[in-house]
Amino acid sequence: MRVIEEKRMGHEVLMSVEYGHVFVANVNEGKLIDLRIEPVGSDNQDVGKIYLAKVARVVPRLQAAFVNIGEDSDGFLGAREARTLLVNANRDTPIEDCVHDGDTVLVQINRPADGDKGPQLTADISLPGRYAVLTPCRTKVSVSRSIEDDKERQRLIDLAETVRDRLGIEGMDGLAGWVLRTAAEGVDNELLEKDMEMIAGIWTDILDKGDDNDPPCLLHQDLGGVERGLRDFIRPDTASVIIQGEAAFRMARSYCQKVMPQAEALITQSESGEILFDRYDINGTIGKALSPRVDLPSGGWITIETTEAMTTIDVNSGSHSDPALAINLEAVTEIASQIPLRAIGGLIAIDFIDMQDEADGKKIEDSLLAAFENDRVPVRIGQMSNFGVIEMTRKRDRLSLLRSLPAGYFDNTEGEDD
């Protein structure tokens, strides 16, 4: 594979449209940290779709309901995702108290259909914009944890609360809540207000459409892959957005002009004839992420195996004589890189090399928590067991890397494992 050497410029977004798919690479200091792949066209993007739906049947033994959304298969609504429908619900409220057979409900896809499994639904609707997210089933105004400056956090909260009161969007129990995204940091008041007003307008249109239609009915779907890649991946420190493909380039420019004009200057086209993902050997990184084994600098390695039920990660020292703690800490860094890149979700069990000192186990826990602190999706990490195993969960928000890649992607790529 030919690798184009480029001066590394901090954070970059690389976007390519090929094989009928949009590829959006999130790159930091020349290293691929996240990759989103989806078919071209917003009609193919299921996550984020909002439906006026009808409960087909409630299954108490599963603590879930199957919901007719008008697609090929019913959606799956778990008790945890349904409890937001009851103002006074708690973590023990059963599904049969939340919904009943034949109920009409507003639901959103938060995990796409996979094989024989229908899409996973939530009643806790969220409607994202560039800087803010409307959460109509909640009442709190909150700020992304990635924004650490207390003064800036308070500025954003004060502004959002003022705009919320003016917009008057009703939620389940009072005014609807809002979340200020990482991208809101340092943004002037006018841009943030316009973003919140735009989102509120979309939500009003969704409710009006729901009033005019009978279930099941699709009320809203998220942006297409190009626009959403810009919305979700551009950060305050983004140095450039490079796009391969004339149509995608025009689409990106148009979106930025309307929604985020300050980012338009970042967008450039790749060079004529250039294979964009040859920059920083991105295809090589993708190829390695499809292998169960990942080597560590120490000479050890980790193996990653995913089944339908869970993902297991095993840390191995090989013949290296480094202390177990040092190899385990190396493994933490690599695991925190591989899990988002491979889009691994659900239950994950990590089997670390045995360590003699109990305090070392706490160091691994703390290191793992820190490594996932900026993950874009919710993560929960448990404590290390007596057997050196840490269990964690990560929300499934898309298909895995392996299942997302179009057939034949590497057929014309040589040396991806070099």
Side-chain angles (χ1 to χ4, degrees):
M1 174 184 290
R2 181 174 62 94
V3 178
I4 297 176
E5 293 295 334
E6 295 278 340
K7 182 180 178 182
R8 296 181 176 180
M9 298 178 57
H11 181 254
E12 299 170 276
V13 177
L14 275 56
M15 191 177 299
S16 175
V17 180
E18 51 187 329
Y19 298 93
H21 286 65
V22 180
F23 294 74
V24 186
N26 194 11
V27 179
N28 198 54
E29 297 298 338
K31 180 181 180 182
L32 179 64
I33 57 177
D34 198 1
L35 181 69
R36 181 183 288 167
I37 307 169
E38 63 187 55
V40 171
S42 58
D43 287 346
N44 295 305
Q45 170 59 28
D46 286 337
V47 173
K49 284 183 176 178
I50 298 174
Y51 293 85
L52 185 68
K54 186 175 285 291
V55 177
R57 65 188 187 281
V58 177
V59 187
R61 64 183 177 82
L62 294 179
Q63 277 303 291
F66 291 93
V67 180
N68 180 6
I69 59 175
E71 303 294 349
D72 293 338
S73 56
D74 288 346
F76 181 89
L77 180 67
R80 183 171 62 181
E81 288 74 27
R83 289 181 184 125
T84 189
L85 295 169
L86 291 180
V87 173
N88 297 318
N90 57 50
R91 61 186 301 172
D92 297 318
T93 301
I95 186 69
E96 55 266 34
D97 287 356
C98 302
V99 291
H100 307 91
D101 291 0
D103 281 356
T104 296
V105 291
L106 203 64
V107 292
Q108 185 173 37
I109 294 180
N110 63 3
R111 178 183 168 188
D114 188 0
D116 295 333
K117 294 183 178 179
Q120 183 172 295
L121 307 175
T122 180
D124 190 5
I125 307 293
S126 61
L127 197 61
R130 169 59 182 152
Y131 305 114
V133 180
L134 175 65
T135 54
C137 296
R138 306 187 185 192
T139 58
K140 184 179 179 182
V141 172
S142 58
V143 179
S144 166
R145 62 186 179 184
S146 297
I147 301 177
E148 298 179 347
D149 182 83
D150 290 339
K151 186 176 180 180
E152 176 65 1
R153 292 177 67 86
Q154 193 59 52
R155 178 188 78 89
L156 293 172
I157 289 174
D158 292 344
L159 176 61
E161 288 180 342
T162 299
V163 178
R164 178 184 66 167
D165 292 344
R166 174 169 61 81
L167 294 174
I169 299 295
E170 290 292 331
M172 288 289 295
D173 186 27
L175 292 179
W178 292 85
V179 178
L180 284 308
R181 307 182 75 177
T182 304
E185 184 171 14
V187 169
D188 65 49
N189 291 5
E190 183 180 359
L191 279 175
L192 183 55
E193 287 184 43
K194 285 183 177 179
D195 193 55
M196 292 178 67
E197 289 169 355
M198 179 196 68
I199 301 166
I202 294 172
W203 178 244
T204 300
D205 290 343
I206 290 171
L207 296 180
D208 289 345
K209 188 175 180 181
D211 290 339
D212 295 338
N213 289 275
D214 296 322
C217 174
L218 173 65
L219 302 179
H220 173 78
Q221 58 191 28
D222 204 356
L223 299 169
V226 171
E227 298 96 330
R228 193 168 56 260
L230 297 171
R231 183 193 70 192
D232 294 345
F233 281 170
I234 290 181
R235 311 185 321 205
D237 63 338
T238 299
S240 62
V241 179
I242 306 136
I243 299 178
Q244 179 177 322
E246 179 65 33
F249 176 72
R250 291 198 304 269
M251 193 179 299
R253 290 283 300 274
S254 175
Y255 175 75
C256 282
Q257 288 169 1
K258 296 175 184 175
V259 178
M260 40 196 300
Q262 75 287 357
E264 186 182 358
L266 300 175
I267 299 175
T268 60
Q269 268 189 291
S270 60
E271 297 177 9
S272 177
E274 176 188 3
I275 299 175
L276 183 59
F277 276 19
D278 277 1
R279 297 195 187 195
Y280 315 129
D281 192 18
I282 286 177
N283 279 327
T285 302
I286 296 172
K288 290 181 172 65
L290 300 178
S291 170
R293 172 168 167 156
V294 182
D295 292 329
L296 301 174
S298 65
W301 69 89
I302 61 174
T303 55
I304 304 174
E305 299 285 351
T306 297
T307 65
E308 187 172 342
M310 65 184 297
T311 295
T312 58
I313 302 177
D314 189 33
V315 182
N316 299 274
S317 62
S319 59
H320 210 276
S321 60
D322 276 3
L325 175 61
I327 300 174
N328 283 337
L329 288 172
E330 270 189 356
V332 165
T333 301
E334 192 59 51
I335 288 166
S337 172
Q338 291 293 322
I339 286 177
L341 182 57
R342 298 177 186 228
I344 294 173
L347 177 62
I348 304 165
I350 309 169
D351 186 4
F352 288 96
I353 302 168
D354 290 340
M355 298 176 295
Q356 299 301 316
D357 193 338
E358 252 184 58
D360 288 348
K362 184 65 167 61
K363 291 177 183 177
I364 297 299
E365 293 171 14
D366 292 343
S367 179
L368 201 59
L369 285 166
F372 280 95
E373 188 174 16
N374 295 320
D375 197 336
R376 295 179 59 255
V377 300
V379 172
R380 297 175 61 190
I381 298 174
Q383 295 180 327
M384 182 174 284
S385 74
N386 293 333
F387 302 102
V389 175
I390 291 181
E391 292 184 347
M392 61 178 285
T393 60
R394 184 174 186 269
K395 180 181 175 181
R396 286 192 178 101
D397 68 333
R398 53 183 157 151
L399 296 177
S400 69
L401 174 63
L402 179 60
R403 294 182 65 85
S404 298
L405 281 171
Y409 180 73
F410 280 123
D411 286 357
N412 299 315
T413 303
E414 298 178 359
E416 64 267 18
D417 293 323
D418 290 351

